[in-house]
Amino acid sequence: MLLLEIGGGVAIYFYRNQIETFVTEKIDDVAIVNYRDNPDFQDIIDGFQKGLKCCGVNGFDDWDLNIYFNCTTVVGRYNPEACGVPFSCCVPDPADTTDVVNTQCGYNVRSPDQRNSVSEKIYEQGCISALKAWLSTNLVVVAVGAGAILLVQIFGFCFATSLTSDIRRQMSRWRRH
C-alpha cells in the first residue's frame, strides 16, 4: 500500500494537467448537472463552494449546465432559480450577524440586467482555480500532513514486522519443548 501511495503521488505530480482536465470535465458533467438530484452530494458541493469561496468549476457561468439554474430552460411554470446560482456561491453580507442562511441570495444573479453587480453578490472564481490557489498557499501543511501519514504507516509496518518476528520466534521455542 505504501508503494502504491508513493507511486500514486508521483503519478499525480507528473500527470497533473491531464488529471485537472479530467476532473474538471467530470465535475461539470456530474456535480453541476446533477446538483439537485442527491442531497448528500449537494451538501458536499455547497461545502466546497463555501469553504473555498468559489462558484462553479471554472466560474459561476458553469451553473448554466444545470437545468434548474439555466437561463434558457424553465422547469415547470415558474422557476425562481433560473439564471441563478446555489446559495453557497453567495458572498456573505457583512452586516448580517445572524447564523441564518439566505438560501435565495443567488436567485437571478446571472441574468443580463444583474451582470454588472455580480461580483458584489457571488464569488466569481471557479473552484478548480480556488483549490489550486489554496494548495499552493498551504503546500507546506499538505506536505507535512502527507509526511506524517507516511511516517505512521512506516512505523506501523516496522512494528507489524517486529511482532510477526516475535511470534515466529516464540512458536519455534514452543516446538522445541
Side-chain angles (χ1 to χ4, degrees), residues 29-43 45-46 49 63 65-70 75 79-82 84-89 102-107:
D29 292 346
V30 177
I32 301 293
V33 173
N34 299 317
Y35 176 74
R36 290 279 186 232
D37 296 340
N38 184 336
D40 293 329
F41 193 60
Q42 182 176 328
D43 288 342
I45 294 169
D46 287 338
Q49 290 186 148
W63 285 103
L65 297 171
N66 185 286
I67 192 169
Y68 298 101
F69 298 109
N70 190 300
V75 178
N79 180 15
E81 292 183 321
V85 295
F87 71 92
S88 57
C89 288
N102 179 2
T103 58
Q104 298 178 354
C105 63
Y107 284 14

Side-chain angles (χ1 to χ4, degrees), residues 41-42 50-51 65 84 95 99 105 107 116 150 155 165 173:
F41 193 60
Q42 182 176 328
K50 275 181 159 180
L65 297 171
D99 289 336
C105 63
Y107 284 14
N116 55 353
L150 187 67
F155 281 127
S165 173
R173 288 181 189 159

